[in-house]
């Protein structure tokens, strides 16, 4: 005999109580609501009913379907929140008052976030590239649409070698070489150490890390850029982060944006780590300027692309609650020994 709707609901509720993973929720969805699912199957009984009963029966099945869908979604959401809370609780928190643990070595927090980011982008088909720290003027500036005497150079003063080479101010300095090496289509990230001749404070260092990313293909648009930025941040932090996108000027992108995140040190109220603004500049980005693509040997009739320059050091600060960027280069074993994993 066919099972009644009430019995089916009861059976479903029991199964839902026992389900505790995203795979189990998906299996329940397929079992009850899929094309050949048990609730969907109830509609097949309609043919055997008198015409005046069909409408009421159909409504009841639909109501059961909706109730089932809602119950699965709610339980899956609760399980997701629990999992995120568990991961947040496991994230090491930076605390200089912790006693020094010297029995084990540990990775530097920047290495840890860099590896997180590499894993995320590798899973989305990006290759991971390495590049020099000492570069020439052409790669750091001119190939990026910043000719000599362009005012944008003032934003990135650096340390020059006597032979005219310089310590790279940003990971964008590798864009040209990587475009020339691989051509289009291309998806690559390139983390690296950067240097700037500027005064230091709680969120500025003269030596820090960035991670550049570029994606070049046919029909790449700002929507692709926003999708990748959002995916990366939600994966790194494992929770929703408040971000804002505002126009930003960089000669090598058009249009260009500044992507800021709400400061996780002060919760957005304002503190020295975010220059009292409540927001931290984290990842400028934009659509690659055609002059930069041309300099990299890319056919601009066929291809477009986006680029971003993620501040890895600031990401580590936000992820681990490090209030002063200068602690990261201090070599203080008391701070580094907290990151044993
Ligand atoms: C750049 O370096 C651009 N090359 C980024 C870019 C790439 C834009 C691709 C568009 C397309 P900016 O100078 O804003 O931009 O630096 C990028 C990020 O590096 C900043 O948001 C910040 O997170 C980090 N950063 C910059 N200067 C410092 C510093 N002195 N100390 C620590 N982090 C810094």
């Amino acid at each position: 005999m066919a099972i009644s709707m009430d019995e089916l609901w009861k059976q479903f509720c029991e199964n839902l109580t026992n389900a505790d993973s995203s795979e189990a929720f998906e299996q329940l969805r397929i079992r009850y609501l899929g094309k050949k699912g048990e609730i969907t199957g109830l509609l097949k009984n309609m043919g055997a009913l008198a015409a005046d009963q069909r409408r009421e029966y159909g409504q009841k099945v639909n109501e059961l379907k909706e109730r089932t869908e809602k119950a699965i979604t709610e339980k899956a959401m609760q399980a997701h929140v629990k999992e995120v809370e568990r991961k947040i609780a496991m994230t090491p928190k930076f605390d200089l008052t912790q006693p020094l643990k010297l029995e084990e070595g540990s990775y530097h927090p920047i290495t840890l976030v860099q590896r997180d980011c590499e894993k995320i982008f590798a899973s989305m088909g990006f290759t991971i590239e390495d590049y020099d720290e000492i570069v020439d003027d052409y790669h750091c500036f001119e190939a990026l649409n910043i000719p000599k005497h362009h005012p944008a150079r003032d934003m990135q003063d650096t340390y020059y070698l006597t032979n005219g080479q310089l310590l790279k101010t940003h990971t964008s300095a590798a864009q040209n070489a990587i475009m020339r090496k691989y051509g289009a289509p291309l998806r690559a990230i390139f983390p690296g150490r950067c240097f700037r001749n500027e005064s230091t404070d709680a969120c500025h260092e003269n030596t820090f890390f960035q991670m550049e990313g570029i994606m070049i293909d046919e029909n790449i648009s700002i929507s692709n850029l926003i999708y990748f930025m959002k995916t990366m941040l939600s994966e790194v932090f494992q929770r929703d982060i408040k971000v804002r996108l505002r126009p930003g000027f960089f000669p090598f992108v058009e249009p260009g944006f500044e992507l800021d995140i709400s400061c996780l040190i002060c919760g957005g109220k304002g503190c020295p780590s975010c220059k009292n603004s409540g927001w931290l500049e984290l990842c400028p980005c934009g659509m690659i300027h055609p002059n930069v693509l041309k300099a990299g040997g890319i056919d601009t009739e066929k291809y477009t692309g986006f680029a971003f320059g993620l501040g890895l050091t600031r990401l580590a600060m936000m992820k681990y609650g490090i209030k002063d960027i200068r602690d990261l280069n201090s070599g203080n074993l008391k701070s580094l020994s907290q990151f044993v994993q």
Side-chain angles (χ1 to χ4, degrees):
M1 214 186 78
I3 186 166
S4 76
M5 281 193 227
D6 285 345
E7 279 165 340
L8 200 52
W9 172 249
K10 212 170 136 220
Q11 179 206 78
F12 161 77
C13 288
E14 272 167 26
N15 287 331
L16 185 64
T17 311
N18 297 329
D20 61 356
S21 66
S22 51
E23 292 80 30
F25 298 130
E26 194 45 34
Q27 270 167 14
L28 279 183
R29 199 186 297 278
I30 295 167
R31 173 168 170 192
Y32 288 97
L33 300 169
K35 263 193 191 157
K36 295 184 183 157
E38 295 187 31
I39 297 180
T40 321
L42 290 172
L43 290 170
K44 288 192 196 122
N45 302 337
M46 294 244 285
L49 295 175
D52 60 337
Q53 291 175 337
R54 281 189 199 153
R55 192 181 141 99
E56 194 189 340
Y57 181 82
Q59 274 174 350
K60 277 191 178 158
V61 175
N62 278 335
E63 188 274 327
L64 178 61
K65 262 178 133 176
E66 275 168 28
R67 208 173 347 134
T68 307
E69 177 75 54
K70 197 167 160 228
I72 295 176
T73 309
E74 273 173 10
K75 179 101 194 265
M77 184 58 84
Q78 283 164 9
H80 175 70
V81 169
K82 252 197 197 158
E83 176 60 12
V84 169
E85 279 169 357
R86 191 185 64 79
K87 281 188 179 156
I88 291 173
M90 277 171 59
T91 306
K93 282 279 166 288
F94 192 77
D95 178 0
L96 276 176
T97 61
Q98 291 274 320
L100 175 61
K101 296 183 234 152
L102 264 187
E103 42 318 326
E104 269 180 277
S106 65
Y107 285 112
H108 194 281
I110 297 175
T111 307
L112 295 175
V113 282
Q114 179 177 327
R115 288 187 178 172
D116 277 354
C117 292
E118 287 177 355
K119 235 192 258 160
I120 296 162
F121 278 97
S123 75
M124 298 192 286
F126 284 69
T127 61
I128 300 155
E129 305 293 329
D130 198 14
Y131 195 65
D132 308 336
E133 290 176 357
I134 298 175
V135 298
D136 58 22
D137 187 275
Y138 176 78
H139 286 92
C140 200
F141 300 117
E142 286 192 43
L144 293 166
N145 206 26
I146 314 179
K148 288 204 166 58
H149 313 300
H150 191 290
R153 290 198 177 208
D154 293 347
M155 295 191 289
Q156 297 193 6
D157 188 18
T158 184
Y159 304 95
Y160 288 83
L161 277 67
T162 45
N163 66 3
Q165 286 186 303
L166 48 106
L167 299 188
K168 77 168 183 255
T169 56
H170 53 175
T171 41
S172 305
Q175 280 194 17
N176 181 271
I178 286 166
M179 285 181 206
R180 291 224 159 257
K181 184 169 171 196
Y182 295 106
L186 170 62
R187 288 181 188 203
I189 52 167
F190 22 110
R193 190 182 270 119
C194 303
F195 308 85
R196 293 199 193 169
N197 178 18
E198 59 185 31
S199 15
T200 59
D201 60 27
C203 59
H204 289 87
E205 254 294 9
N206 51 30
T207 306
F208 58 96
F209 283 78
Q210 287 185 346
M211 193 187 79
E212 193 88 356
I214 51 176
M215 178 171 182
I216 302 172
D217 210 329
E218 293 178 39
N219 304 317
I220 295 293
S221 70
I222 295 173
S223 322
N224 299 104
L225 167 64
I226 293 172
Y227 167 80
F228 281 102
M229 296 294 93
K230 273 191 169 165
T231 308
M232 183 261 301
L233 289 175
S234 59
E235 289 285 321
V236 168
F237 288 102
Q238 293 287 316
R239 60 182 143 147
D240 283 336
I241 297 290
K242 222 159 109 190
V243 297
R244 70 175 185 191
L245 204 60
R246 56 194 169 90
F249 174 71
F250 302 91
F252 35 98
V253 285
E254 179 58 39
F257 305 99
E258 286 283 3
L259 188 149
D260 306 332
I261 69 167
S262 176
C263 179
L264 300 176
I265 305 281
C266 60
K269 288 194 210 95
C271 66
S273 312
C274 59
K275 287 196 272 180
N276 293 311
S277 70
W279 293 94
L280 198 74
E281 283 179 16
L282 185 69
C283 187
C285 49
M287 299 302 294
I288 304 174
H289 195 289
N291 288 352
V292 176
L293 290 174
K294 276 184 208 149
I298 307 285
D299 178 358
T300 52
E301 294 293 314
K302 193 165 170 202
Y303 295 108
T304 48
F306 67 73
F308 61 85
L310 173 68
L312 265 188
T313 307
R314 287 197 187 160
L315 190 64
M317 288 172 73
M318 291 296 109
K319 174 141 186 182
Y320 298 115
I322 300 167
K323 293 194 179 98
D324 196 316
I325 196 169
R326 291 164 291 197
D327 285 329
L328 289 165
N329 281 355
S330 67
N332 181 347
L333 290 179
K334 212 168 164 192
S335 40
L336 298 181
S337 70
Q338 293 170 29
F339 291 89
V340 177
Q341 286 213 330

